[in-house]
């Protein structure tokens, strides 16, 4: 293989490793002040600091003072300052991608510094100091990563990325209108339409692929579980590789359900030697004019100069396939590591992404990350025009491109190959003795609708301190569902209370030709709708679970205006700031819990499995400890079972599920009666 310019993970790891920064002691700075400081750092990040207190702090700050307080003795600070002095840092007003080794290492140097800070004032001082000196987008990534993982910023809510980097999500045409409104000092609210026209079949599902909440979910998940993380940054992140598999598996299943709702075929997996039919035109530009690259339709995937050859990807794929066929991987010491067990999916996920948890980065490479870059350069594979990174090279925008889903269907196929080699669950493993489901149904109608959502463009337009901000915003359509509840009647025939895990899934009942999916095909396409723990008393238990309570989902992140208003109110009143429900942001927005459906109604097979919570539980107080959700909390999972259990393994005979009383299924329909997608 040729030398790859991306993802030199092993060599890079030591450049920003350290230990001992994690602190759990209470901090004296009120949460409202912390939230104010972070929001101020991110406000108009392409301009000098606007906040007077932060400006004063920077003016008197010496970054080389008190370096002995850092766990690494100030090594990271000195390295970053030397890079700055030697003019080696990425220039301002230039694009940044986390998939670029050099740029990522620079951003993580700052993340390293911030994570080591022992108190809030020191951390915010370094952040403000380097905000004025680092590339703007490098700074944003570094700060977001540090806030996500530092104990000092616990319960601080990161503003929605689409309002911090609005040009990543908003068409160039709309931003031109915003600039004209600013020049004329006239407030404006402008409509944003989806990319393309009805002439493109993919336009029918653009409401999903271009949903800014979906983009926020994907970006935040990768911040929570970054591929560059190793245990010198902080605590070990459990099941990171498995969760990499699961989030992409769920996105693919979710997207396929949207396609069937709109009379489209299922996503076809990527083939390196076949034509990539669907192009993509983002209609967006970087802040200072470089456009996001266009990929035309019907291209033959080419080698990309200075990145990789297609053959490189095929070699990496074959090494993964060999590992799955043999039932083991080879670690960097040359030893065999068994993957024919529940931990195997975690190892494969770490290898395929690849993350620093990969047992052998040099041999297995980075199939996923390298594929993102290679596909992202297909509009200019030989660097004739020196184009900027594509949407596939940013977690903020990757889900907008149809090629994203084809790539991850291809990767998902590798994971399925592994899962199908594991022995099917037997009746004893699936049963929950003494527990039976009597009935499941939906309280309310499964119905979705399209609504307008407004977001601010204040960070898209430049101004000066003496010029007052104008209300400039855009609004875009998005999917939402009406509230509903799951009704589940369960009988506990045991003598005492038992803890149960209630797992709710659904999958499209029919394919695009109206043919019913066999159970084994359907279960692989299952969308996880909820998972929660519930104590069952002896006898009958009637459980009502509201859709808004789903552990798979999170509320939409508050807008920067909402965050500002809540923070200022708390600071003025001297009261506590409560934003706990928005802290995670790693789940899907709750409004995307179910697929769109259509006028006639899309049939879903709804399945519920009730399993032994005492055997499943990884922690105590599962019913009351609200910090835990579907993706865990700070890398700790409440559920020992594999993601997708009990539907994650091959089912040679579906009658096994019909023979256990703690499993039930029914057919429901999802309707959409007001589909009005605006056209250009």
């Amino acid at each position: 293989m040729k030398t790859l310019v991306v993802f030199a993970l092993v060599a890079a790891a030591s450049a920003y490793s350290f230990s001992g920064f994690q602190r759990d002691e209470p901090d004296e700075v009120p949460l409202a002040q912390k939230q104010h400081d972070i929001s101020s750092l991110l406000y108009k990040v392409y301009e000098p600091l606007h906040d007077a207190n932060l400006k004063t702090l920077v003016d008197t700050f010496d970054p080389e003072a008190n370096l002995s307080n850092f766990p690494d003795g100030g090594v990271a600070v000195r390295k970053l300052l030397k890079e700055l002095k030697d003019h080696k840092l990425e220039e301002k007003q230039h694009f940044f991608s986390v998939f670029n080794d050099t740029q990522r290492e620079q951003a993580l140097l700052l993340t390293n510094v911030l994570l080591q800070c022992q108190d809030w004032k020191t951390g915010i001082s370094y952040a403000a100091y380097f905000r004025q000196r680092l590339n703007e987008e490098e700074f944003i990534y570094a700060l977001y990563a540090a806030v996500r993982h530092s104990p000092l910023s616990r319960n601080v809510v990161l503003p929605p990325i689409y309002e911090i980097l609005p040009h990543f999500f908003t068409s160039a045409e709309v931003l031109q209108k915003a600039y004209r409104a600013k020049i004329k000092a006239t407030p404006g609210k402008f409509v944003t339409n989806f990319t393309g026209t009805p002439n493109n079949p993919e336009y029918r599902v653009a409401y999903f692929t271009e949903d800014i909440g979906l983009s926020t979910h994907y970006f935040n998940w990768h911040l929570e579980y970054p591929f560059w993380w190793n245990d010198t940054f902080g605590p070990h992140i459990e099941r990171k590789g498995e969760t990499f598999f699961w989030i992409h598996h769920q996105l693919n299943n979710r997207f396929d359900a949207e396609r069937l709702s709109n009379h489209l075929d299922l996503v076809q997996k990527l083939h390196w030697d076949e034509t990539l039919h669907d192009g993509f035109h983002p209609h967006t530009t970087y802040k200072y004019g470089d456009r996001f690259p266009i990929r035309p339709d019907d291209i033959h995937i080419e080698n990309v100069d200075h990145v990789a050859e297609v053959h490189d990807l095929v070699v990496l794929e074959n090494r993964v396939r060999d590992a799955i066929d043999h039932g083991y991987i080879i670690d960097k010491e040359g030893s065999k590591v068994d993957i024919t067990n529940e931990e195997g999916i975690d190892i494969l996920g770490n290898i395929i992404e690849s993350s620093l948890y990969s047992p052998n980065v040099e041999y297995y490479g980075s199939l996923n990350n390298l594929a993102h870059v290679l596909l992202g350069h297909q509009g200019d594979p030989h660097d004739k025009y020196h184009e900027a990174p594509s949407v596939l090279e940013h977690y903020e925008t990757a889900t907008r491109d149809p090629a994203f889903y084809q790539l991850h269907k291809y990767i998902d196929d590798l994971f399925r190959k592994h899962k199908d080699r594991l022995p099917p669950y037997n009746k004893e493993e699936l049963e929950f003795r003494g527990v039976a489901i009597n009935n499941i149904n939906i309280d309310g109608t499964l119905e979705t609708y399209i609504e307008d959502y407004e977001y601010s463009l204040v960070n898209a337009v430049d101004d000066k301190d003496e010029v007052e901000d104008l209300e400039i915003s855009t609004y875009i359509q998005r999917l939402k569902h009406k509230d509903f509840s799951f009704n589940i009647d369960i009988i506990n025939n045991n003598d005492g209370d038992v803890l149960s895990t209630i797992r709710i899934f659904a999958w499209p009942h029919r394919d695009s030709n109206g043919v019913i999916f066999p159970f084994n095909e359907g279960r692989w396409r299952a969308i996880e709708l909820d998972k929660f723990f519930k104590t069952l008393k002896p006898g009958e238990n009637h459980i009502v679970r509201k859709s808004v309570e789903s552990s798979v989902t999170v509320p939409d992140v508050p807008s920067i205006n909402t965050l500002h208003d809540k923070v200022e109110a708390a600071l003025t009143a001297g009261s506590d700031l409560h934003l706990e429900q928005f802290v995670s942001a790693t789940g899907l927005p709750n409004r995307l819990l179910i697929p769109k459906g259509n006028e006639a109604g899309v049939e879903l097979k709804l399945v519920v499995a009730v399993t032994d919570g005492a055997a499943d539980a990884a922690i105590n107080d599962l019913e009351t400890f609200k910090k835990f959700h579907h993706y865990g909390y700070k890398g700790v999972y409440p559920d020992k079972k594999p993601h997708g259990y009990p539907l994650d393994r091959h089912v040679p005979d579906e009658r096994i599920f019909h023979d256990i009383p703690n499993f039930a299924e029914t057919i429901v329909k999802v309707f959409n009666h007001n589909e009005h997608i605006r056209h250009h």
Side-chain angles (χ1 to χ4, degrees):
M1 286 190 194
K2 68 162 68 172
T3 301
L4 307 181
V5 299
V6 289
F7 320 120
L9 294 174
V10 174
S14 61
Y16 35 79
S17 63
F18 62 93
S19 61
F21 70 88
Q22 293 289 340
R23 299 171 63 248
D24 293 315
E25 296 87 350
D27 195 82
E28 298 298 325
V29 180
L31 178 60
Q33 184 61 51
K34 293 181 177 182
Q35 187 71 55
H36 170 87
D37 292 341
I38 295 301
S39 297
S40 297
L41 286 170
L42 293 167
Y43 174 73
K44 291 188 176 292
V45 74
Y46 293 92
E47 300 175 13
L49 282 164
H50 286 252
D51 185 84
N53 291 331
L54 290 179
K55 285 195 285 188
T56 301
L57 201 62
V58 170
D59 290 342
T60 59
F61 180 64
D62 178 4
E64 296 188 89
N66 302 315
L67 293 184
S68 60
N69 292 332
F70 281 76
D72 71 351
V75 171
V77 174
R78 292 189 185 95
K79 182 174 176 59
L80 187 53
L81 288 171
K82 187 176 188 307
E83 294 277 297
L84 179 64
K85 180 181 178 181
D86 294 344
H87 305 287
K88 292 183 178 180
L89 297 180
E90 184 64 63
E91 61 185 306
K92 280 180 169 285
Q93 302 183 9
H94 195 261
F95 43 75
F96 160 81
S97 169
V98 71
F99 291 122
N100 180 296
D101 277 349
T102 301
Q103 293 177 338
R104 182 181 68 253
E105 288 174 28
Q106 291 174 3
L108 294 183
L109 279 173
L110 177 57
T111 300
N112 184 345
V113 169
L114 298 179
L115 286 175
Q116 291 190 72
C117 292
Q118 301 295 296
D119 61 83
W120 185 256
K121 183 178 179 181
T122 301
I124 213 68
S125 298
Y126 275 104
Y129 180 85
F130 284 109
R131 180 194 187 276
Q132 304 199 145
R133 291 161 175 82
L134 258 65
N135 171 275
E136 298 90 345
E137 290 166 20
E138 277 188 1
F139 172 79
I140 291 170
Y141 185 82
L143 184 64
Y144 266 69
V147 170
R148 176 65 67 185
H149 292 282
S150 172
L152 293 174
S153 50
R154 186 173 290 126
N155 291 332
V156 171
V157 174
L158 288 164
I161 193 65
Y162 52 83
E163 290 191 318
I164 302 303
L165 293 172
H167 42 286
F168 275 41
F169 305 90
T170 313
S171 71
E173 296 87 349
V174 170
L175 291 183
Q176 286 179 350
K177 294 176 182 177
Y179 269 105
R180 285 198 292 269
K182 184 71 175 181
I183 291 170
K184 295 178 180 178
T186 304
K189 183 166 70 172
F190 310 105
V191 61
T192 289
N193 292 313
F194 298 121
T195 299
T197 72
N199 294 329
N200 179 5
E202 296 300 314
Y203 187 78
R204 298 184 213 168
V205 287
Y207 66 86
F208 180 78
T209 59
E210 298 182 31
D211 188 288
I212 54 179
L214 178 68
S215 296
T216 301
H217 155 61
Y218 193 66
F219 174 64
N220 281 323
W221 185 89
H222 277 284
L223 284 173
E224 188 80 22
Y225 302 91
F227 67 86
W228 46 260
W229 185 270
N230 62 32
D231 294 349
T232 59
F233 277 103
H236 184 80
I237 300 176
E238 296 180 17
R239 298 169 64 176
K240 190 160 80 74
E242 182 191 6
T243 309
F244 170 81
F245 147 68
W246 187 245
I247 184 179
H248 292 95
H249 179 67
Q250 286 296 288
L251 280 174
N252 265 308
N253 288 356
R254 194 66 179 69
F255 187 47
D256 273 343
E258 296 301 334
R259 298 180 71 83
L260 293 174
S261 294
N262 291 279
H263 312 289
L264 293 172
D265 290 335
L266 302 174
V267 173
Q268 297 301 307
K269 71 177 182 180
L270 183 78
H271 292 273
W272 295 115
D273 58 350
E274 294 182 9
T275 300
L276 183 59
H277 292 291
D278 293 318
F280 187 61
H281 190 325
H283 285 276
T284 49
T285 61
Y286 287 87
K287 172 69 174 178
Y288 290 102
D290 291 280
R291 71 173 187 175
F292 279 84
I294 300 167
R295 185 185 65 253
D297 288 344
D298 299 318
I299 64 165
H300 182 76
I301 300 174
E302 295 188 50
N303 302 331
V304 174
D305 294 354
H306 312 300
V307 174
E309 296 178 1
V310 174
H311 176 70
D312 298 339
L313 278 298
V314 176
V315 169
L316 296 179
E317 174 194 337
N318 287 336
R319 289 175 180 175
V320 172
R321 289 187 180 277
D322 286 346
I324 294 169
D325 287 338
H326 290 114
Y328 61 83
I329 61 100
I330 304 295
D331 67 16
K332 60 185 177 183
E333 282 80 32
S335 301
K336 296 178 181 179
V337 179
D338 183 25
I339 58 172
T340 59
N341 48 44
E342 287 190 355
E343 291 73 38
I345 190 73
D346 191 49
I347 296 170
L348 280 178
N350 287 327
I351 283 173
I352 290 172
E353 186 178 17
S354 115
S355 79
L356 286 179
Y357 286 1
S358 170
N360 197 340
V361 174
E362 293 92 341
Y363 183 68
Y364 293 104
S366 182
L367 179 60
N368 171 79
N369 292 355
L370 188 57
H372 268 259
V373 178
L374 186 134
L375 289 175
H377 279 72
Q378 287 305 303
D380 183 25
H382 306 300
D383 202 28
K384 290 182 178 180
Y385 309 107
H386 195 54
E387 290 201 312
S390 73
V391 295
L392 287 171
E393 294 165 83
H394 299 281
Y395 293 131
E396 301 94 316
T397 55
T399 55
R400 299 166 73 87
D401 189 334
F404 170 87
Y405 301 94
Q406 292 177 263
L407 168 63
H408 284 285
K409 182 66 73 76
Y410 151 79
I411 290 174
D412 197 57
D413 188 59
L414 295 174
F415 286 123
R416 181 172 187 177
K417 183 178 176 66
H418 161 72
K419 282 283 191 176
D420 283 353
R421 288 181 63 84
L422 300 178
Y425 296 115
N426 58 43
K427 186 176 181 181
E428 289 70 28
E429 291 174 306
L430 295 172
E431 275 188 322
F432 186 8
R433 293 192 182 280
V435 173
I437 303 175
N438 260 5
N439 183 55
I440 57 172
N441 62 64
I442 299 293
D443 184 8
T445 303
L446 294 181
E447 183 176 346
T448 68
Y449 57 96
I450 302 294
E451 68 170 11
D452 282 332
Y453 177 73
E454 182 179 354
Y455 65 93
S456 173
L457 296 180
V458 67
N459 285 321
V461 293
D462 301 323
D463 61 18
K464 298 178 180 178
D465 282 343
E466 61 270 17
V467 179
E468 187 174 344
D469 272 335
L470 297 170
E471 288 293 329
I472 299 177
S473 62
T474 186
Y475 59 97
I476 190 168
Q477 293 182 304
R478 67 178 191 176
L479 184 68
K480 198 169 185 178
H481 65 81
K482 293 184 178 179
D483 290 339
F484 64 91
S485 298
F486 299 105
N487 289 324
I488 309 169
D489 292 313
I490 304 173
I491 292 182
N492 172 17
N493 292 316
N494 295 286
D495 292 335
D497 292 351
V498 294
L499 180 65
S500 69
T501 313
I502 299 176
R503 307 168 188 272
I504 306 176
F505 302 89
W507 64 76
H509 188 47
R510 300 174 187 272
D511 66 15
S512 56
N513 294 315
V515 178
I516 294 174
F517 283 114
F519 188 93
N520 188 54
E521 283 302 307
R523 62 94 200 169
W524 185 252
R525 303 181 189 283
I527 301 164
E528 187 173 29
L529 297 178
D530 205 350
K531 177 171 61 181
F532 59 99
F533 295 86
K534 187 73 175 179
T535 297
L536 304 177
K537 67 180 188 301
E540 295 183 359
N541 294 262
H542 178 66
I543 296 169
V544 178
R545 179 72 168 183
K546 297 178 180 178
S547 57
V548 72
E549 296 174 313
S550 170
S551 66
V552 177
T553 64
V554 296
D556 280 296
V557 180
S559 68
I560 55 175
N561 289 333
T562 299
L563 286 174
H564 175 269
D565 292 345
K566 289 181 178 293
V567 165
E568 294 310 308
L571 288 174
T572 300
S575 58
D576 292 336
L577 180 66
H578 292 288
L579 297 171
E580 292 85 356
Q581 63 178 317
F582 305 111
V583 169
S584 168
T586 53
L588 278 175
N590 183 265
R591 57 186 175 76
L592 292 180
L593 178 61
I594 57 175
K596 181 174 73 67
N598 56 37
E599 185 72 32
V602 171
E603 288 182 318
L604 299 179
K605 175 167 281 192
L606 178 69
V607 300
V608 177
V610 181
T611 61
D612 186 346
D616 299 341
I619 61 164
N620 297 319
D621 302 320
L622 284 163
E623 291 185 85
T624 58
F625 195 52
K626 299 301 183 183
K627 284 184 178 179
F628 283 97
H629 63 95
H630 172 66
Y631 290 109
Y633 180 74
K634 298 300 181 188
V636 179
Y637 289 84
D639 182 15
K640 292 178 184 176
K641 295 296 186 187
H643 286 312
Y645 175 83
L647 303 175
D648 60 309
R649 294 193 187 180
H650 180 67
V651 180
D653 188 344
E654 67 179 273
R655 287 176 297 182
I656 189 172
F657 282 99
H658 299 157
D659 290 341
I660 57 174
N662 52 305
F663 181 89
E665 61 182 51
T666 189
I667 301 296
V668 296
K669 282 188 174 184
V670 185
F671 295 92
N672 181 284
H673 299 300
N674 79 327
E675 181 186 343
H676 299 294
I677 304 298
R678 280 190 297 267
H679 304 321
H680 289 278

